[in-house]
Amino acid sequence: MTTERIEHRACFGGWQDVYRHRSEVLGCDMTVGVYLPPQVEQGPCPVLYWLSGLTCTEQNFITKAGAQRYAAEHGIILVAPDTSPRGEDVADAEGYDLGKGAGFYVNATQAPWASHYRMYDYIVDELPTWVEADPMASDRRAISGHSMGGHGALTIALKNPGRYRSVSAFSPIVAPTQVPWGQKAFAAYLGDDREAWKAWDTVELIRQAREQLPLLVDQGDADEFLQGQLKPELLQAAAAEAGHPLTLRMRPGYDHSYYFIASFIGDHIAHHAAALNA
Amino acid sequence: MTTERIEHRACFGGWQDVYRHRSEVLGCDMTVGVYLPPQVEQGPCPVLYWLSGLTCTEQNFITKAGAQRYAAEHGIILVAPDTSPRGEDVADAEGYDLGKGAGFYVNATQAPWASHYRMYDYIVDELPTWVEADPMASDRRAISGHSMGGHGALTIALKNPGRYRSVSAFSPIVAPTQVPWGQKAFAAYLGDDREAWKAWDTVELIRQAREQLPLLVDQGDADEFLQGQLKPELLQAAAAEAGHPLTLRMRPGYDHSYYFIASFIGDHIAHHAAALNA
């Protein structure tokens, strides 16, 4: 796989790098942020995959979350990929919530999206294979994300029992089949058959989970998308009904921004470190 | 003074705000980031003024430095102003290193700059007066900054004995009269009389300092501007000659970016907190 390191910056005793690598499954070059904590010099470190939200690239998380401090404390590699395939031959749409920057971590089945929009396969298989080819990275994995990326983290963990030691999310879209963001994206990527959408919806997946991996979710109660798009009460009800362990923390005053993520990413990384280093 | 709060976001138990206020001395509206730590609810908190570098607005520091965590720990208000006057009637120039985004924290004396470019007076007098009009802010002040803003912090502290309890800088321009960035800006803002430039040069000012305020400086040794623009060895020599207390820490591998600032801003805020809360 062709790989080029395009950024390399000392950060909290380790290195914040950005790579461009060829993705065969997406049919394009992808950029990905990789934070290497100082502990990689002593041996392989576990990896936390971070999935970003609508409109983001790999840059948002690595420049704004302040996560490197905690990764350096706990000896965890942070891998932050882009949010969709990119390039001139990749389909796109008007609006920020479909097409580039809005891959929704699914495998599209409909034209014109199916030829490139396979972010699920990229995140679950191709990206970890690329990461773990480096002897600095172990195969102990955790996954987290924000908003659309919180949806990605939760669905991917639920669909792949045993593959991740821990999962968490900030302000996730928990029921995309029931809210405008998800309905628009799924209609385009997956077509009109709403039964097929359920395979990509946390609230649906939790009902049939084969593994009781605890879910950790933080949600600001001043989030401008709380009522219309996020609806954490649907996750709470589904988890209660299924008996699935869920810690949902409503955070008074916090909104949907990276100031919210920065305030609690230390808690999340400590949570993942406990599972990854156990 | 007309003031409008244009951002208000919960962050580490406090609030990251952005204000737009009228500056009489600059003759324009200015934006300024203000982080209020949770401790303001118990009484007035001291203030750390942060001066940003070339091309920056108030946004760079508040989104990328991760400083709020430490300000919340120590109970310090962070005030991060824009780096130049703004607006359609404000003079500008080609290039990133003169005009808007490049005020250099001086009072310009030359046309067309003199009518708006008075960042020194703004930072030293008008901005603190505006800040301290709020009962949440005390008049205990510290000052820090990066690159052009490190130059601003050091010169302003040296020119105003007793006004700041502590000063620090990241990758500062310590001798603007001797390097291309400073020579271009000073020729434009201050004119051809190089003697007049010396009043705005840290290395010159340290020779006549009336106060032995210790200087704390961090500098990455992989900084792309180290040799051509920053020259910390000139500061070290001037401080040694003048017997002025200086802690200059060269940081192996670090560059000029906010990843460097984020890595050590916690140390700087602890340094300021020790002086401010003494």
Side-chain angles (χ1 to χ4, degrees), chain A residues 7-16 18 59 62-66 68-70 73 224 252-257 259-260 262-264 266, chain B residues 7-16 18 59 62-66 68-70 73 224 252-257 259-260 262-264 266:
Chain A
E7 292 186 30
H8 181 57
R9 298 173 187 280
C11 186
F12 284 100
W15 295 94
Q16 179 61 60
V18 176
Q59 288 291 319
I62 68 176
T63 60
K64 293 184 173 181
Q68 295 93 347
R69 170 180 170 161
Y70 312 101
E73 281 176 12
E224 55 271 41
Y254 286 86
D255 68 8
H256 201 67
S257 72
Y259 295 112
F260 170 52
S263 299
F264 299 105
Chain B
E7 291 186 31
H8 181 58
R9 299 171 187 281
C11 187
F12 283 101
W15 294 96
Q16 179 61 58
V18 177
Q59 288 290 320
I62 68 176
T63 60
K64 294 184 171 181
Q68 294 93 348
R69 170 179 172 159
Y70 311 102
E73 281 176 12
E224 55 271 41
Y254 285 86
D255 67 9
H256 202 67
S257 71
Y259 294 112
F260 169 53
S263 299
F264 299 105

Side-chain angles (χ1 to χ4, degrees), chain B residues 15-272:
Chain B
W15 294 96
Q16 179 61 58
D17 295 338
V18 177
Y19 289 89
R20 182 182 295 120
H21 73 134
R22 181 70 191 174
S23 166
E24 299 303 330
V25 67
L26 299 174
C28 66
D29 287 348
M30 289 291 280
T31 50
V32 53
V34 178
Y35 178 69
L36 298 173
Q39 291 88 341
V40 296
E41 293 181 12
Q42 273 76 59
C45 289
V47 181
L48 172 61
Y49 292 86
W50 174 268
L51 306 184
S52 289
L54 288 166
T55 78
C56 289
T57 68
E58 84 289 345
Q59 288 290 320
N60 303 66
F61 181 72
I62 68 176
T63 60
K64 294 184 171 181
Q68 294 93 348
R69 170 179 172 159
Y70 311 102
E73 281 176 12
H74 294 287
I76 292 174
I77 295 171
L78 303 175
V79 172
D82 201 351
T83 57
S84 77
R86 302 282 181 177
E88 288 185 10
D89 63 330
V90 171
D92 202 1
E94 293 289 314
Y96 69 94
D97 50 2
L98 185 65
K100 291 179 185 175
F104 268 87
Y105 306 102
V106 302
N107 290 334
T109 58
Q110 306 297 305
W113 311 104
S115 54
H116 291 284
Y117 284 76
R118 302 186 64 82
M119 286 297 290
Y120 176 82
D121 282 350
Y122 174 68
I123 298 295
V124 174
D125 292 322
E126 191 180 35
L127 180 63
T129 299
W130 175 79
V131 168
E132 293 164 23
D134 191 309
M136 289 189 284
S138 82
D139 61 359
R140 287 175 288 155
R141 305 175 201 99
I143 192 163
S144 185
H146 174 234
S147 196
M148 175 184 76
H151 145 74
L154 295 173
T155 53
I156 284 171
L158 287 166
K159 287 164 80 77
N160 293 276
R163 193 155 174 79
Y164 300 91
R165 301 203 177 198
S166 52
V167 58
S168 75
F170 290 81
S171 336
I173 306 169
V174 299
T177 63
Q178 300 185 51
V179 302
W181 275 343
Q183 290 168 341
K184 176 178 175 180
F186 285 8
Y189 296 146
L190 305 173
D192 293 334
D193 175 11
R194 293 194 171 217
E195 277 304 306
W197 296 7
K198 293 182 178 176
W200 308 98
D201 181 298
T202 297
V203 162
E204 297 292 337
L205 289 166
I206 208 170
R207 297 191 176 128
Q208 41 185 294
R210 284 169 288 155
E211 182 194 44
Q212 297 285 295
L213 189 66
L215 311 182
L216 172 64
V217 174
D218 270 294
Q219 173 63 58
D221 77 357
D223 189 319
E224 55 271 41
F225 302 110
L226 182 60
Q227 307 290 332
Q229 306 279 6
L230 304 178
K231 298 184 180 291
E233 67 278 7
L234 298 179
L235 177 62
Q236 198 158 37
E241 194 184 320
H244 198 106
L246 165 70
T247 302
L248 170 63
R249 303 186 292 206
M250 296 301 294
R251 299 293 192 175
Y254 285 86
D255 67 9
H256 202 67
S257 71
Y258 261 89
Y259 294 112
F260 169 53
I261 298 170
S263 299
F264 299 105
I265 191 71
D267 285 348
H268 282 236
I269 290 180
H271 168 79
H272 292 293

